[in-house]
């Protein structure tokens, strides 16, 4: 998605030892709603012809992306996995574990109520970033626990120099990323993406 790549090059800020890209000016803090709607339409184009019964994402950054993509998919329901750091959750939920990319790789649980994922459903995963793949792997796990099917994973920005994309694809998940970062430098501020 050319417009996205241009914005990443112009507005992205490289942090965290060349590993973290901040796109707070349109995606992760201030949100450009019209642009997020375009991103939603691009996801629809990428997954054209695929049945999508619901969209699953993870709080917090995935929620806006999923909600603004849902109209392009016929206003299918959006479900977001909740984060819980206590590790003890009571009730009828599917649980999986994520290794946090941004918070020192600390593991935490995510969960979705069994009410909101059902056997046989075709579920599209959406998220803002793909790094090591832990978040999307955990979402895939929740869908499979429910006996539902992952249609694919749509990510706005894949950091292709990190292993998540390959891990998911090896696991049989179709991954569509709208921009792929090949390298980036905190020192020069230059971000190479395709
Ligand atoms: P993964 O689980 O693939 O290692 O990391 C994906 C999650 O970590 C995403 O949900 C995203 O919120 C966060 N994340 C990973 N890399 C970045 C990054 O470079 N920038 C930002 N803003 N978030 C990231």
């Amino acid at each position: 998605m050319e417009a996205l790549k241009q914005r990443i090059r112009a507005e992205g800020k490289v942090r965290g030892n060349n590993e973290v890209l901040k796109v707070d000016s349109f995606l992760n803090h201030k949100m450009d709603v019209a642009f997020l709607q375009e991103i939603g339409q691009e996801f629809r184009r990428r997954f054209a012809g695929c049945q999508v019964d619901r969209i699953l994402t993870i709080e917090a950054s995935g929620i806006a992306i999923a909600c603004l993509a849902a109209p392009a998919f016929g206003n299918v329901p959006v479900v977001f996995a909740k984060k819980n750091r206590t590790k003890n959750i009571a009730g009828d939920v599917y649980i999986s574990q994520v290794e946090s990319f941004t918070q020192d790789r600390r593991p935490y649980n995510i969960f979705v109520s069994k009410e909101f994922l059902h056997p046989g459903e075709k579920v599209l995963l959406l998220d803002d970033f793909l790094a090591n793949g832990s978040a999307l792997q955990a979402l895939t796990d929740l869908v499979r626990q429910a006996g539902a099917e992952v249609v694919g994973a749509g990510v706005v920005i894949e950091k292709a120099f990190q292993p998540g994309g390959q891990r998911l694809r090896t696991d049989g998940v179709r991954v569509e990323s709208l921009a792929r970062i090949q390298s980036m430098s905190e020192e020069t501020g230059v971000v190479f993406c395709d």
Side-chain angles (χ1 to χ4, degrees):
M1 190 182 176
E2 199 45 49
L4 172 65
K5 292 174 204 166
Q6 282 175 13
R7 287 197 80 160
I8 290 170
R9 290 183 197 114
E11 300 173 44
K13 294 189 170 69
V14 184
R15 298 286 183 266
N17 219 9
N18 302 332
E19 288 209 327
V20 175
L21 180 68
K22 293 192 78 166
V23 281
D24 285 357
S25 59
F26 63 93
L27 191 65
N28 287 133
H29 196 2
K30 186 178 91 176
M31 285 184 285
D32 184 334
V33 172
F35 193 57
L36 288 179
Q37 285 170 326
E38 281 176 43
I39 283 173
Q41 282 157 7
E42 181 62 20
F43 281 133
R44 174 74 275 188
R45 271 191 290 278
R46 300 287 184 105
F47 289 98
C50 296
Q51 184 186 331
V52 173
D53 300 321
R54 64 189 54 203
I55 295 171
L56 177 65
T57 188
I58 179 168
E59 66 174 345
S61 302
I63 296 174
I65 293 161
C67 287
L68 288 162
F73 289 88
N75 283 318
V76 292
V78 171
V79 178
F80 68 90
K82 296 190 173 206
K83 294 178 179 175
N84 183 295
R85 288 165 197 276
T86 67
K87 298 195 175 178
N88 291 312
I89 305 162
D92 232 10
V93 293
Y94 300 112
I95 301 177
S96 194
Q97 200 177 67
V98 177
E99 249 184 46
S100 174
F101 183 82
T102 41
Q103 311 220 350
D104 300 334
R105 311 265 148 100
R106 247 176 294 156
Y108 60 90
N109 286 335
I110 59 168
F111 65 97
V112 166
S113 167
K114 289 184 179 174
E115 273 181 86
F116 303 131
L117 280 179
H118 309 115
E121 274 172 347
K122 312 262 189 216
V123 181
L124 177 66
L125 310 179
L126 292 182
D127 203 6
D128 57 346
F129 274 89
L130 172 56
N132 292 327
S134 183
L136 284 170
Q137 274 176 329
L139 292 179
T140 301
D141 183 34
L142 295 177
V143 172
R144 289 175 179 164
Q145 285 180 42
E149 189 188 318
V150 175
V151 175
V155 295
V156 180
I157 302 173
E158 175 178 352
K159 288 182 291 175
F161 58 88
Q162 290 168 333
Q166 199 188 337
R167 283 185 184 151
L168 285 157
R169 291 175 179 110
T170 302
D171 188 30
V173 177
R174 175 178 169 192
V175 180
E176 292 285 344
S177 41
L178 306 189
R180 288 165 53 90
I181 311 295
Q182 298 299 348
S183 65
M184 55 189 197
S185 161
E186 190 166 357
E187 197 185 354
T188 62
V190 174
V191 180
F192 287 103
C193 57
D194 59 29

